[in-house]
């Protein structure tokens, strides 16, 4: 594929940039998610939305077709063999050059592990403000206002950044992926000969994850558990229930910290956002940290002893009882029905 | 002796923060701070490395004087020196301003081998300070590290991301944030050190002593600003079912049937 080439110093200025995470032959879907709110913002500001992708070569990207229908107006590729591995220092320096030369109005990252490693490093180099795990973006008098739950409690903070570009990482799964018909203009950014592609990090080996990646964000039915299940053994029973209902298992933050469930199953601010048809929360009181990640579920069922628990209040149906006891009975009954 | 610097944070006890609905400011029910649980893991990593390679471990925190008991706790766990960065003008610092204060203080400790931190704090949950410190000090930053050891004069690091685990090689100094599930066992404080630390106090640095002006730190030095905070109010909307677990299970199954799950 022959791409239009543009020299670093000739990049168009003043637009909105989004980080497109190209790694291990994939464009991470979260990069498409963040384009959804950014498209609205960039249109209102009459600016272009540009996806910035760093990778070694275009050939091997498996979901390249998705790029061609994404919401970005343009995609700028920075291609160099040294970008095959994620080297925090080099990648941040490359992005710093992009920012210095294109003077964007905003630069946003998906809150993946790479995104949350790279964005603060870039913010540090350029001495810019950076908001973390934003789950809402709005414009007021042409100023970007960002919101996020904070203090791990039921507190929402609205934030602005006084430095330009406005920078934020955006929570995973918060926005749906939308596509458009018009293909974005794809360009290759040519760095000057003098730019050093060296890094102090040497990636020696890569061990692909053996864990089956949970498909939580795409699940139709989710059975989730919280501390109200009392112990890991009770929590494990959710997997039995999930099998019977063809569901995925989700968890709250405290439960993941206790080690009852892997962190991949965490729903909420620091985990994933889900929108299943049916969500059942067992022993989950419903701290905002968790509920922002599941409140858009179509039908919410809560099982909890506390009638005043926030999850009980947002549920379509709440069962006031000990979650672990109900879970046992439910599994027994469902087994006999099969 | 080579040094490891561990950055730690005092955080409010979970559940003690409420919003004043009239002034939209945070109400703290308790001024007591606890050690950010994720930082406990960074301390454990530092002490294990100290036992293998004979490092001196310096624990450092920015915060009000009520962070002192947390620094002392870190000492009791095995850290050797305590530094508190405390000044009224630090209040309201965002991650960039906080990183600047920490970086300035860390510079005065140079040369050092490693800077270790927890993955993120449980209150702000940004995870931004470690890479920002790395950028400000112009040294590498690596996040979500599960393993660290020396080999042929280099450090070998295992870090985890969505794709798997990567083994890296690099030279010191660098910043590493430690994965929160790195260890099955976290040591308790030693009685001997608990007694020792009663007689010593952390070294305190103010903004002035670090060469920082009010424009660089606190609210003034923070590019990001909170313009509003509010508590999310939830109004009950659904049906509440009560009864024996047996009855409730029957009712739940009926609902699941209407949803075509059974």
């Amino acid at each position: 594929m022959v791409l239009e080439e543009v020299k670093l110093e000739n990049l168009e200025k003043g637009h909105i940039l989004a980080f497109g995470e190209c790694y291990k032959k994939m464009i991470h879907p979260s990069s498409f998610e963040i384009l959804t709110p950014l498209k609205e913002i960039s249109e209102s500001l009459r600016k272009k939305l540009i996806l910035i992708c760093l990778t070694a070569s275009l050939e091997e990207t498996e979901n390249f077709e998705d790029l061609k229908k994404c919401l970005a107006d343009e995609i700028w590729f920075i291609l160099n063999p040294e970008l095959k591995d994620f080297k925090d220092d080099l990648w941040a320096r490359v992005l710093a050059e992009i920012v210095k030369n294109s003077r964007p109005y905003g630069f946003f990252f998906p809150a993946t592990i790479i995104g949350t490693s790279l964005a603060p490093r870039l913010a540090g180099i350029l001495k810019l403000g950076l908001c973390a795990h934003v789950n809402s973006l709005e414009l007021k008098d042409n100023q970007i206002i960002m919101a996020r739950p904070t203090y791990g409690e039921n507190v929402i903070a609205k934030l602005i950044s006084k430095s330009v570009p406005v920078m934020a990482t955006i929570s995973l799964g918060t926005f749906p992926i939308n596509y458009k018909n018009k293909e974005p203009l794809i360009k290759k950014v040519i760095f000057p000969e003098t730019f050093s592609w060296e890094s102090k990090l040497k990636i020696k080996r890569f061990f692909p994850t053996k864990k089956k990646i949970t498909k939580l964000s795409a699940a139709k039915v989710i059975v989730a558990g919280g501390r109200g299940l009392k112990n890991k053994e009770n929590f494990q029973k959710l997997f039995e229930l999930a099998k019977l209902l063809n569901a995925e298992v989700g968890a709250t933050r405290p439960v993941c910290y206790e080690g009852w469930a892997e962190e991949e199953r965490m729903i909420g601010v620091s985990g994933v956002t889900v929108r299943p048809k049916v969500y059942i929360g067992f022993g989950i009181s419903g701290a905002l940290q968790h509920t922002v990640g599941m409140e858009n579920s179509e039908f919410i069922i809560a099982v909890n002893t506390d009638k005043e628990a926030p999850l009980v209040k947002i549920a379509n149906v709440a069962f006031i009882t000990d979650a672990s006891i109900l879970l046992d009975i439910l599994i027994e009954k469902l087994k006999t029905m099969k | 002796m080579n040094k490891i610097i561990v950055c730690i944070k005092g955080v409010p006890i979970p559940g003690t923060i409420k919003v004043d609905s009239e002034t939209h400011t945070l109400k703290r029910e308790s001024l007591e701070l606890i050690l950010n649980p994720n930082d406990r893991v960074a301390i454990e990593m530092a002490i294990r490395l100290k036992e293998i390679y004979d490092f001196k471990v310096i624990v450092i925190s920015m915060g009000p004087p009520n962070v002192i008991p947390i620094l002392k706790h870190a000492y009791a766990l095995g850290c050797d020196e305590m530094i508190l960065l405390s000044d009224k003008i630090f209040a309201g610092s965002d991650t960039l301003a906080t990183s600047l204060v920490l970086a300035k203080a860390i510079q005065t400790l140079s040369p050092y081998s490693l800077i270790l931190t927890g993955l993120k704090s449980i209150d702000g949950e940004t995870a931004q300070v470690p890479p920002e410190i790395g950028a400000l000090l112009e040294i590498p930053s690596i996040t979500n590290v599960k393993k660290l050891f020396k080999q042929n004069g280099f450090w070998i690091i295992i870090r985890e991301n969505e794709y798997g685990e990567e083994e890296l090689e690099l030279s010191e100094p660098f910043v590493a944030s430690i994965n929160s599930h790195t260890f099955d066992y976290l040591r308790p404080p030693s009685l001997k050190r608990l007694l020792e630390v009663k007689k010593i106090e952390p070294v305190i640095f103010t903004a002035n002593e670090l060469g920082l002006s009010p424009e660089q730190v606190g609210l003034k030095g923070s590019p990001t600003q909170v313009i509003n905070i509010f508590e999310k109010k939830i109004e009950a909307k659904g049906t509440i079912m009560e009864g024996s677990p047996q009855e409730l299970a029957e009712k739940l199954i009926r609902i699941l049937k209407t949803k075509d799950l059974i």
Side-chain angles (χ1 to χ4, degrees):
Chain A
M1 196 161 91
V2 185
L3 301 181
E4 182 185 327
E5 295 190 351
V6 53
K7 281 190 178 168
L8 180 66
E9 58 269 29
N10 296 337
L11 287 174
E12 270 190 60
K13 294 171 181 51
H15 296 297
I16 304 270
L17 308 185
F19 179 68
E21 184 171 319
C22 289
Y23 205 50
K24 304 292 170 198
K25 300 181 184 174
M26 279 285 288
I27 297 148
H28 199 280
S30 58
S31 302
F32 298 126
E33 289 170 12
I34 70 171
L35 294 177
T36 301
L38 293 175
K39 181 73 180 170
E40 269 182 49
I41 300 246
S42 61
E43 278 181 352
S44 309
L45 291 169
R46 297 173 190 279
K47 293 180 187 302
K48 284 185 189 169
L49 176 57
I50 300 160
L51 191 69
I52 308 292
C53 298
L54 277 59
T55 186
S57 88
L58 287 183
E59 262 80 83
E60 294 185 328
T61 310
E62 280 164 15
N63 53 348
F64 194 79
E65 288 308 306
D66 290 344
L67 266 187
K68 290 186 177 170
K69 34 179 205 170
C70 80
L71 294 180
D73 299 298
E74 293 190 8
I75 301 170
W76 295 353
F77 272 102
I78 296 91
L79 301 172
N80 188 287
E82 295 301 322
L83 298 173
K84 179 177 155 285
D85 296 312
F86 174 58
K87 298 169 186 167
D88 310 49
D89 55 349
L90 171 63
W91 285 44
R93 275 199 300 116
V94 168
L95 293 182
E97 287 303 314
I98 296 287
V99 170
K100 281 181 207 158
N101 285 280
S102 70
R103 299 204 290 273
Y105 184 71
F107 199 171
F108 299 88
F109 292 73
T112 55
I113 292 178
I114 287 182
T116 53
S117 305
L118 195 51
R121 182 137 188 125
L122 177 63
I125 292 174
L126 300 171
K127 313 263 191 308
L128 296 169
L130 173 64
C131 298
H133 292 279
V134 162
N135 67 357
S136 135
L137 289 154
E138 55 180 341
L139 270 184
K140 204 174 172 188
D141 305 326
N142 282 354
Q143 184 168 44
I144 299 176
I145 298 176
M146 296 159 278
R148 63 161 307 198
T150 191
Y151 288 95
E153 316 284 330
N154 291 351
V155 178
I156 293 180
K158 285 203 172 182
L159 303 146
I160 54 164
S161 185
K162 293 182 295 179
S163 51
V164 177
V166 173
M167 282 184 69
T169 57
I170 299 178
S171 272
L172 302 184
T174 305
F175 297 97
I177 297 173
N178 291 338
Y179 292 112
K180 67 174 171 27
N181 293 325
K182 195 164 166 261
E183 212 172 290
L185 197 58
I186 303 182
K187 294 176 180 173
K188 179 180 168 187
V189 183
I190 308 296
F191 271 57
E193 292 287 327
T194 50
F195 183 82
S196 161
W197 297 91
E198 270 177 35
S199 164
K200 287 187 180 152
L201 314 184
K202 202 154 117 197
I203 314 290
K204 308 255 289 182
R205 279 194 288 179
F206 170 65
F207 313 93
T209 182
K210 286 196 193 82
K211 279 183 252 173
K212 187 182 125 243
I213 294 171
T214 56
K215 299 280 189 297
L216 260 188
S217 50
K220 296 269 184 286
V221 185
I222 291 177
V223 292
R227 250 199 297 228
L229 282 175
K230 293 183 205 130
N231 56 46
K232 192 173 178 174
E233 287 63 47
N234 287 337
F235 188 92
Q236 289 298 321
K237 292 174 189 162
L238 286 176
F239 289 94
E240 211 174 322
L241 179 66
K243 228 184 225 169
L244 292 162
L245 297 176
N246 203 11
E248 279 290 344
V249 176
T252 62
R253 184 176 61 168
V255 157
C256 292
Y257 283 4
E258 290 286 332
W260 298 358
E262 311 98 304
E263 219 148 302
E264 286 80 10
R265 299 198 178 273
M266 193 193 298
I267 295 172
V269 183
S270 23
V272 293
T273 302
V274 298
R275 287 187 199 76
K277 286 194 183 315
V278 179
Y279 164 100
I280 315 177
F282 288 90
I284 294 178
S285 66
L288 190 63
Q289 146 72 230
H290 181 73
T291 56
V292 291
M294 48 63 67
E295 62 194 355
N296 293 325
S297 304
E298 276 180 38
F299 195 83
I300 299 169
I301 300 170
V303 185
N304 207 308
T305 47
D306 178 8
K307 229 193 252 188
E308 296 301 318
L311 192 72
V312 168
K313 290 187 179 170
I314 65 168
N316 298 84
V317 185
F319 294 89
I320 309 302
T321 185
D322 184 312
S324 56
I325 295 173
L326 186 71
L327 184 57
D328 278 337
I329 300 172
L330 191 62
I331 291 171
E332 281 315 309
K333 284 191 190 286
L334 288 174
K335 270 190 192 158
T336 54
M337 286 168 70
K338 292 254 156 166
Chain B
M1 196 191 294
N2 289 329
K3 289 179 257 184
I4 295 181
I5 298 162
V6 188
C7 302
I8 64 169
K9 185 180 183 188
V11 296
I13 297 168
T16 60
I17 297 278
K18 295 276 178 293
V19 174
D20 186 314
S21 53
E22 283 179 10
T23 59
H24 293 279
T25 51
L26 291 179
K27 281 196 297 194
R28 292 184 175 210
E29 284 172 9
S30 155
L31 285 174
E32 195 190 332
L33 296 173
I34 55 164
L35 171 65
N36 175 42
N38 295 329
D39 299 348
R40 179 71 188 79
V41 187
I43 294 174
E44 180 70 29
M45 180 64 92
I47 296 167
R48 289 189 189 198
L49 293 174
K50 166 183 161 174
E51 286 167 349
I52 303 170
Y53 305 111
D54 200 22
F55 282 107
K56 181 200 270 183
V57 179
I58 302 173
V59 65
I60 184 166
S61 186
M62 181 182 108
N66 48 351
V67 172
I68 293 174
I70 296 167
L71 286 167
K72 290 194 170 190
H73 178 63
Y75 182 94
L77 292 169
C79 298
D80 302 295
E81 282 179 25
M82 305 171 281
I83 297 175
L84 174 66
L85 313 173
S86 197
D87 199 310
K88 281 199 177 104
I89 65 167
F90 292 160
S93 293
D94 71 357
T95 61
L96 187 69
T98 302
S99 302
L100 180 67
V101 175
L102 287 165
K104 279 278 182 186
I106 290 167
Q107 259 169 355
T108 69
L109 302 171
S110 186
Y112 49 85
S113 298
L114 310 178
I115 303 168
L116 302 183
T117 72
L119 185 66
K120 58 188 170 191
S121 67
I122 61 162
D123 55 349
E125 286 208 297
T126 73
Q128 287 174 183
V129 168
E132 286 181 346
I133 295 175
L136 293 173
L137 292 169
E138 297 180 10
I139 59 173
S141 49
I142 300 111
T143 62
N144 209 20
V145 169
K146 298 179 87 172
K147 223 179 203 177
L148 275 161
F149 58 93
K150 272 186 181 178
Q151 201 174 66
N152 306 325
F154 290 102
W155 282 92
I156 307 291
I157 282 185
I158 310 274
R159 71 166 169 202
E160 192 180 45
N161 57 31
E162 283 95 348
Y163 307 88
E165 289 184 351
E166 286 175 331
E167 187 182 299
L168 286 76
E169 181 186 275
L170 74 165
S171 313
E172 52 188 48
F174 57 86
V175 187
S177 71
I178 308 298
N179 175 287
S180 304
H181 305 290
T182 302
F183 302 114
D184 294 331
Y185 173 76
L186 299 171
R187 75 195 61 206
S190 105
L191 261 178
K192 181 175 157 276
R193 298 186 72 93
L194 275 173
L195 292 173
E196 249 171 51
V197 79
K198 282 190 176 173
K199 293 181 208 113
I200 37 177
E201 291 299 320
V203 179
I204 300 179
F205 286 104
T206 61
N208 207 2
E209 286 162 329
L210 294 172
L212 289 162
S213 69
E215 284 70 39
Q216 292 173 285
V217 297
L219 282 175
K220 277 190 196 164
S222 298
T224 64
Q225 296 205 330
V226 176
I227 53 168
N228 192 6
I229 47 174
F230 50 92
E231 210 159 351
K232 201 165 176 175
K233 288 272 182 291
I234 309 162
E235 276 169 37
K237 61 171 190 185
T239 320
I240 298 231
M241 307 260 197
E242 289 176 281
S244 75
Q246 285 289 346
E247 288 164 24
L248 292 178
E250 290 293 342
K251 284 181 183 164
L252 179 51
I253 286 172
R254 252 173 270 150
I255 293 172
L256 297 178
K257 273 184 185 160
T258 65
K259 298 284 166 195
D260 289 329
L261 296 189
I262 306 167

